[in-house]
Amino acid sequence: MMQENNVNNHPIDRQKQERNAFSISVITAGLLTLSLIAALVFSRSSSLDIISLAGLIASILGALISAWLSRRNKSELGIGLLISILILVAASRVFITKGQAVSTGITNIIIVSGIAFYTLSRRWAGVAIMVSSLVTAATIIIDQYTVGVPTSSSPQTANIIAAILGVVYLVVIATQFRDFPLRIKLIFGFLLLTTLPLIILGWQSYTTTRNILSDQIKEKILESSLATSDVFQEFTNSQHKISGEIARTPEVIEYLSLPPAERTGSQAEAVATETLNALKDKSPTNIRSYALVSQNGINLLDTNPANVGSNFSTQPFFSYVVANNKPYASGLTLTNDRNDQVIYFASPITSKSNEMLGMVVVTYNAKILQAVMDAMLRARPTVAIDEYTYLIDETNFFILAHSTSLTLDYKTYLNTDDPRLMSLQAQGLLSPEDLQSISIPQPEIVERLSNIDNISAFQAPSAENDNETAETSAIRISNSNWIVVTGQPISTISNITLDQTRNAVLISVIITFLAAFSAVVISNIFTNPLLQLTRVAENISAGDFTQKAVVNTRDEIGTLANTVNKMSSQIRDLVSGLEQRVEQRTRELEQRTTDLEKITKQSEKRASELQTIAEISGYISAEKDLEKLLTLITQTVSERFGFYHVGIFLLNENRNFAVLRAANSPGGQVMLRRQHKLEVGQVGIVGNVTATGIPRIALDTGADAAFFNNPDLPETHSEMALPLNARGAIIGALDVQSTVPNAFTQTDVSILGLLADQIAIAIDNVRLLEETRNALAESQSVFRDYLAGAWQSKSASEIFGYYQTLTGGQLVTGNKAAEVDVKTQDGENTLAIPIQLRDQVIGTVHIRPSKEDRTWSKDEINIVNAVAERLGLALDNARLFEETSSRASRERLVTDITTKIRGTNDPQEMIKTAVQELQRVLGASRVEIVPRKNAPPPDK
């Protein structure tokens, strides 16, 4: 027993573990609360992750509940709850935020290790750390393959919080590291030397690869932006060339050289008009009109007569041409026709003396720009993944053309309350409904583009990808109001590096587990001889000097083992003589001790079994009725796993037949009604499994097909039977059948084998509960018989009650019993309350009111009941005290007589003394001791 305790106990004693459980629970709650506050204060996201906050709050509540349970001597339950919540929260993060599995998982392992080492036994601490490590490995792998999970909006904050928590608990572990077993120290050291360089190299490789890819993507975006800007620059230059040729036409110069008063109706006006109309007839359909505009911005001549007289002086392009005497392309100009938005190409008209006379304005349908974009995309061989390009004007930030999202054409990045849009609305070019529909506010992009020189690179949200941050490059088109913007989401970098990261993570996890396995094996090689020698020394210190250390080596450990063996032999020789002298006197005590140890072992075994049963799935282990339990199991297994038929067979008392006790299918119900049973080792795979204890699968092919010839289950095509083992014995089998051929594999055997073990334990639990209930009922029955006998004997005495009136009280004896009985029964309002002791009535309290018409209230009855309950306890305590006193008096008299008899060695004097003392004590008139001569045995 001592050996087992020494093996399983943690280096920290149990009482200290209880104290640590409360302290660490409170500290953990405090640290998690600080983490929650830090997440709320330092998070850069405008909207925090509600699920993450819920996880932190759940962890805090778990820590507080653990502290509360620890104060009530349930520290293991509290710590188990806390660790379970921490592991579940860490595992759930992989489905909430992508890219945080490594930091969260490693931190979770450190926290669980720190809590477990200080609060749990070595066995459960190992289980907690193993579960945490497996969950961490699974979450890291799952994190690499999840799709659609958003990345953290503030990963640095999460990593810093995880690092701080990890360091705190590493310090907690380090303070107690010297008390850890040698095996754990070796494992920790081996894993640290193996995994730390692996983590550093992996992180460096990941960072370097990501930086290289980021630089490459930025270069490609810039190249794509330059290529697109060249196309639009070429288009702009070609249009400026056309408008410049018109501006240099002699007919146009001659017309504008005339004084304003002489222009109307002149020959020059007719020639200029004819020239413009000739150009319009030859122009593409996207050109709406040609116009000659005066220095004041008045439209003098226009191929569209409706435009004559309109004023361009407020247009930005007019101001630019006048100020710089250069051609210019305008941004998007809104018209009342939403399907016919326009842009303007303007070139100055100068005289021979280089004096500006006016300008040529060519009006284009804005769709020409989208056509140029589409032609460019068709000519380009390949486009990077998720790359997009758009042309935007710098005045009102209208999108003029887009490579991927045509629905964004003519939308603006300005806010609805921007003065520029409000001006358009005041001019009647935008209605309130139009304003809401065309505005896609992107303040970061507007700010960046407003301050652009010629080429700029930056990161900004992209409307094309739900405002996901994108690497962006912008280039201004000269002699125009246009900017070419090319972007690509930064998630593309993550997607490109995902495959490399997956492989690296898988390799790292495999290496880590191999390292852990190697660490366990190597530590066992080094520590097993020391543990064996330690157990021998502990047993010797406990008094077992027969122990011998096994000597397998000739090194220092072998020498130490030989020394311990010699010391054990010497001590055994020294105490052997003493053991012989006390052996006879202590034999009875040893026998009692042995019996007590057996009882203790049995109790410990039962407690261990009950603890194991308590850990089974709640909804199965909570059912205490065997038949209901079996039915619940078959229905639950069938519903959860989708099996056609689930049956439970239990062996009969002779263990020669497996009897069907529960089934879920209609065919199974038919077999239950006819009490279906199979001979063990003879019939079907159930018979085979209950005989051998080995799981069996029958498929719908070959020799196994014979097992499916059951008219009650005609749809069965696959069958699997699993043994139900309880406490080392086969108690039955779990039979699972499917309508799908080849439905079961060895993996199913492993998974459902765990379920079969739980079912067997649950069944055994119900049987043990029935036995315990029967034993308890028998115990209660014996106690009631004893109590009834004791009070029956007590009531046979002369005084057996007490009678009290307003004038006084008196004892109730046999002579006055009848008188008192008559008085207590007189009147209908007499209150009779039984005096009960553990459900056994030992007397009655009769209370008669002073007035015949009195009615007893509920409170008065409750008071009398309470008094009667306490009176029963007091009477039974008095009876026990009286019996104890009487027994003590008898023992004292016997002791006195025995002492006087032992005062002499003369037999005659002993007999005389015994006779005199018995006569004195018993008050007898005569006491005789008659010697008796025994007859010799028959064989003598």
Side-chain angles (χ1 to χ4, degrees):
M1 182 65 65
M2 182 174 293
Q3 175 181 348
E4 181 180 354
N5 291 336
N6 289 335
V7 171
N8 291 330
N9 282 346
H10 194 269
I12 308 173
D13 58 81
R14 184 61 190 163
Q15 291 182 351
K16 192 172 182 180
Q17 288 179 2
E18 294 284 350
R19 295 193 299 271
N20 288 345
F22 175 78
S23 301
I24 288 182
S25 298
V26 174
I27 292 172
T28 301
L31 290 174
L32 292 174
T33 302
L34 292 177
S35 300
L36 177 61
I37 295 173
L40 292 171
V41 173
F42 298 107
S43 177
R44 298 178 181 177
S45 175
S46 59
S47 59
L48 293 174
D49 185 354
I50 302 301
I51 300 180
S52 300
L53 294 181
L56 274 175
I57 294 173
S59 301
I60 295 171
L61 292 177
L64 294 177
I65 293 173
S66 175
W68 181 76
L69 291 173
S70 300
R71 279 299 190 190
R72 283 154 181 76
N73 298 323
K74 297 179 180 180
S75 61
E76 288 189 351
L77 177 61
I79 293 299
L81 174 65
L82 174 59
I83 290 176
S84 299
I85 292 176
L86 290 174
I87 292 175
L88 289 175
V89 170
S92 65
R93 291 290 301 169
V94 73
F95 303 105
I96 302 171
T97 305
K98 190 173 182 64
Q100 297 293 307
V102 175
S103 59
T104 303
I106 294 176
T107 302
N108 184 259
I109 292 176
I110 294 173
I111 293 176
V112 169
S113 300
I115 295 174
F117 276 128
Y118 273 81
T119 58
L120 297 178
S121 64
R122 185 182 302 171
R123 173 190 174 191
W124 289 112
V127 171
I129 295 172
M130 181 183 67
V131 172
S132 178
S133 300
L134 292 175
V135 171
T136 296
T139 54
I140 290 175
I141 295 174
I142 292 172
D143 185 56
Q144 305 305 314
Y145 292 93
T146 52
V147 178
V149 178
T151 56
S152 175
S153 59
S154 55
Q156 293 181 350
T157 301
N159 291 334
I160 290 173
I161 293 174
I164 293 174
L165 289 175
V167 169
V168 169
Y169 279 91
L170 276 177
V171 172
V172 171
I173 294 174
T175 57
Q176 204 66 29
F177 187 75
R178 62 183 180 182
D179 294 329
F180 292 162
L182 178 61
R183 177 183 299 174
I184 295 179
K185 291 179 180 178
L186 290 174
I187 293 174
F188 263 108
F190 194 88
L191 287 177
L192 184 64
L193 292 175
T194 304
T195 57
L196 186 60
L198 187 66
I199 293 173
I200 294 174
L201 291 176
W203 179 255
Q204 183 179 7
S205 175
Y206 171 78
T207 304
T208 302
T209 302
R210 186 177 181 86
N211 291 336
I212 292 173
L213 289 173
S214 178
D215 293 339
Q216 290 177 350
I217 287 177
K218 290 179 181 178
E219 292 177 1
K220 290 180 179 179
I221 291 174
L222 181 58
E223 291 176 0
S224 179
S225 182
L226 288 171
T228 304
S229 66
D230 289 343
V231 171
F232 279 98
Q233 188 66 65
E234 182 180 356
F235 170 74
T236 303
N237 293 338
S238 65
Q239 302 309 310
H240 287 328
K241 181 179 179 181
I242 294 173
S243 61
E245 291 176 352
I246 298 173
R248 291 189 293 272
T249 303
E251 293 83 0
V252 171
I253 295 174
E254 181 182 357
Y255 171 69
L256 290 178
S257 298
L258 293 174
E262 299 178 4
R263 292 172 183 167
T264 304
S266 65
Q267 179 65 29
E269 182 182 60
V271 174
T273 301
E274 183 179 355
T275 301
L276 294 179
N277 288 329
L279 291 172
K280 179 63 174 65
D281 293 338
K282 299 178 182 179
S283 299
T285 57
N286 286 316
I287 296 180
R288 291 290 178 262
S289 67
Y290 292 91
L292 296 181
V293 179
S294 69
Q295 291 177 328
N296 298 326
I298 303 301
N299 190 340
L300 301 176
L301 293 179
D302 199 308
T303 56
N304 184 0
N307 295 334
V308 175
S310 58
N311 192 343
F312 290 101
S313 61
T314 59
Q315 294 289 345
F317 76 86
F318 180 83
S319 301
Y320 180 89
V321 174
V322 171
N324 298 282
N325 199 22
K326 292 181 180 180
Y328 195 71
S330 74
L332 184 69
T333 301
L334 299 180
T335 65
N336 293 326
D337 186 357
R338 291 291 173 262
N339 296 320
D340 191 20
Q341 312 299 347
V342 299
I343 58 174
Y344 300 108
F345 284 88
S347 293
I349 303 173
T350 58
S351 64
K352 295 180 181 180
S353 60
N354 204 27
E355 178 184 358
M356 185 173 177
L357 302 175
M359 64 184 68
V360 175
V361 177
V362 183
T363 306
Y364 278 79
N365 188 325
K367 293 181 180 179
I368 184 64
L369 299 178
Q370 184 64 51
V372 173
M373 178 73 75
D374 294 341
M376 179 200 69
L377 293 175
R378 289 193 296 270
R380 185 177 296 179
T382 57
V383 179
I385 300 174
D386 297 332
E387 181 183 294
Y388 58 89
T389 302
Y390 58 87
L391 185 69
I392 191 169
D393 76 65
E394 191 180 2
T395 302
N396 296 318
F397 292 93
F398 282 109
I399 297 175
L400 306 176
H402 205 289
S403 63
T404 59
S405 300
L406 299 182
T407 56
L408 295 179
D409 282 355
Y410 312 142
K411 300 293 180 67
T412 179
Y413 282 165
L414 296 177
N415 289 316
T416 56
D417 58 353
D418 190 277
R420 286 164 284 191
L421 295 184
M422 300 301 292
S423 175
L424 294 176
Q425 186 177 6
Q427 297 173 29
L429 298 176
L430 283 177
S431 65
E433 293 78 11
D434 293 335
L435 187 62
Q436 294 295 331
S437 63
I438 68 172
S439 177
I440 308 175
Q442 294 291 334
E444 293 185 34
I445 295 179
V446 171
E447 181 181 0
R448 294 282 189 173
L449 297 181
S450 298
N451 300 317
I452 188 175
D453 292 330
N454 290 320
I455 300 177
S456 178
F458 54 88
Q459 286 187 353
S462 61
E464 295 79 0
N465 297 279
D466 297 328
N467 287 331
E468 179 183 352
T469 302
E471 288 288 350
T472 307
S473 176
I475 300 177
R476 185 189 299 277
I477 305 297
S478 61
N479 294 329
S480 72
N481 195 28
W482 304 340
I483 299 174
V484 172
V485 180
T486 301
Q488 191 172 21
I490 60 174
S491 61
T492 304
I493 302 174
S494 302
N495 294 334
I496 295 175
T497 58
L498 184 59
D499 291 336
Q500 298 179 3
T501 305
R502 286 174 180 171
N503 295 333
V505 168
L506 287 176
I507 293 173
S508 299
V509 171
I510 292 172
I511 292 176
T512 301
F513 273 97
L514 290 177
F517 178 76
S518 302
V520 172
V521 173
I522 294 174
S523 65
N524 287 337
I525 294 174
F526 283 107
T527 59
N528 279 341
L530 291 176
L531 291 175
Q532 189 268 341
L533 188 58
T534 302
R535 286 193 292 267
V536 171
E538 289 173 348
N539 289 330
I540 292 174
S541 66
D544 185 4
F545 302 110
T546 61
Q547 293 288 324
K548 289 288 184 180
V550 179
V551 181
N552 295 323
T553 61
R554 297 182 180 179
D555 54 10
E556 290 80 358
I557 296 178
T559 302
L560 180 61
N562 285 323
T563 304
V564 172
N565 290 338
K566 291 179 181 179
M567 180 184 66
S568 175
S569 299
Q570 293 174 356
I571 296 176
R572 184 173 62 252
D573 294 338
L574 291 175
V575 301
S576 60
L578 180 61
E579 288 178 350
Q580 292 176 359
R581 288 194 297 270
V582 299
E583 181 179 359
Q584 183 175 1
R585 296 180 182 179
T586 58
R587 185 178 294 111
E588 182 179 355
L589 179 60
E590 289 178 352
Q591 182 62 37
R592 292 179 181 178
T593 303
T594 301
D595 295 340
L596 181 60
E597 288 181 353
K598 290 181 179 179
I599 295 173
T600 302
K601 288 181 179 179
Q602 292 175 356
S603 299
E604 290 177 351
K605 181 179 179 182
R606 180 62 57 84
S608 176
E609 292 173 351
L610 292 176
Q611 181 180 0
T612 303
I613 293 171
E615 295 172 357
I616 300 177
S617 174
Y619 62 88
I620 294 179
S621 61
E623 182 58 59
K624 305 305 180 185
D625 183 85
L626 182 58
E627 297 301 327
K628 293 181 180 179
L629 173 64
L630 297 179
T631 303
L632 174 63
I633 290 170
T634 56
Q635 293 176 351
T636 303
V637 173
S638 175
E639 291 174 359
R640 295 295 178 87
F641 291 93
F643 294 139
Y644 162 57
H645 168 78
V646 177
I648 294 180
F649 289 82
L650 297 181
L651 297 181
N652 61 1
E653 294 182 357
N654 297 329
R655 301 182 65 83
N656 58 346
F657 281 98
V659 182
L660 181 64
R661 297 292 299 275
N664 70 298
S665 64
Q669 298 299 319
V670 173
M671 293 190 291
L672 281 174
R673 287 193 290 270
R674 72 164 185 266
Q675 298 181 351
H676 181 68
K677 62 182 179 178
L678 299 172
E679 187 174 359
V680 175
Q682 300 296 326
V683 180
I685 66 172
V686 172
N688 180 272
V689 168
T690 53
T692 63
I694 300 174
R696 179 74 184 274
I697 295 176
L699 305 176
D700 196 9
T701 57
D704 287 334
F707 291 124
F708 305 120
N709 189 18
N710 187 344
D712 296 317
L713 301 172
E715 299 181 16
T716 297
H717 290 282
S718 298
E719 183 176 5
M720 177 172 60
L722 301 165
L724 299 179
N725 294 301
R727 292 183 291 175
I730 298 174
I731 64 172
L734 174 65
D735 182 41
V736 180
Q737 300 184 21
S738 174
T739 59
V740 180
N742 304 323
F744 303 113
T745 63
Q746 289 301 321
T747 302
D748 298 321
V749 172
S750 300
I751 295 174
L752 294 179
L754 298 175
L755 178 61
D757 292 339
Q758 291 185 351
I759 292 172
I761 294 173
I763 294 173
D764 193 52
N765 183 22
V766 172
R767 291 177 172 175
L768 289 175
L769 180 60
E770 291 178 354
E771 294 177 2
T772 304
R773 286 175 174 172
N774 293 336
L776 178 60
E778 183 179 353
S779 163
Q780 292 175 342
S781 176
V782 171
F783 181 76
R784 285 195 296 270
D785 292 343
Y786 158 73
L787 192 62
W791 279 101
Q792 183 68 28
S793 174
K794 187 67 179 175
S795 62
S797 63
E798 180 65 20
I799 298 174
F800 61 87
Y802 190 81
Y803 178 71
Q804 176 72 39
T805 65
L806 295 176
T807 60
Q810 62 180 348
L811 296 174
V812 179
T813 62
N815 296 331
K816 297 182 179 181
E819 178 183 350
V820 172
D821 185 62
V822 171
K823 292 179 179 180
T824 57
Q825 297 299 326
D826 185 23
E828 295 181 356
N829 292 333
T830 299
L831 179 63
I833 302 297
I835 301 174
Q836 291 184 333
L837 184 64
R838 298 178 182 87
D839 298 330
Q840 182 71 30
V841 178
I842 62 173
T844 308
V845 176
H846 292 276
I847 302 176
R848 188 176 65 181
S850 58
K851 298 180 180 180
E852 295 297 333
D853 58 346
R854 176 172 179 176
T855 301
W856 298 99
S857 68
K858 185 176 180 180
D859 289 339
E860 290 173 334
I861 295 174
N862 290 336
I863 291 173
V864 178
N865 274 325
V867 172
E869 179 182 354
R870 287 161 178 75
L871 178 60
L873 294 174
L875 290 174
D876 195 56
N877 289 338
R879 178 187 63 79
L880 293 174
F881 179 76
E882 183 179 349
E883 290 180 358
T884 304
S885 299
S886 177
R887 189 179 299 108
S889 178
R890 290 196 302 270
E891 292 293 336
R892 185 171 61 254
L893 290 174
V894 172
T895 301
D896 292 342
I897 295 173
T898 304
T899 301
K900 291 179 180 180
I901 292 174
R902 290 180 177 176
T904 180
N905 295 327
D906 186 359
Q908 293 297 330
E909 190 65 26
M910 290 181 179
I911 294 174
K912 180 179 178 182
T913 300
V915 169
Q916 291 175 351
E917 291 298 323
L918 288 174
Q919 185 177 13
R920 180 181 62 81
V921 171
L922 300 177
S925 61
R926 179 176 180 176
V927 177
E928 294 182 355
I929 297 177
V930 181
R932 178 181 177 183
K933 183 177 182 180
N934 294 327
D939 57 348
K940 299 295 185 179

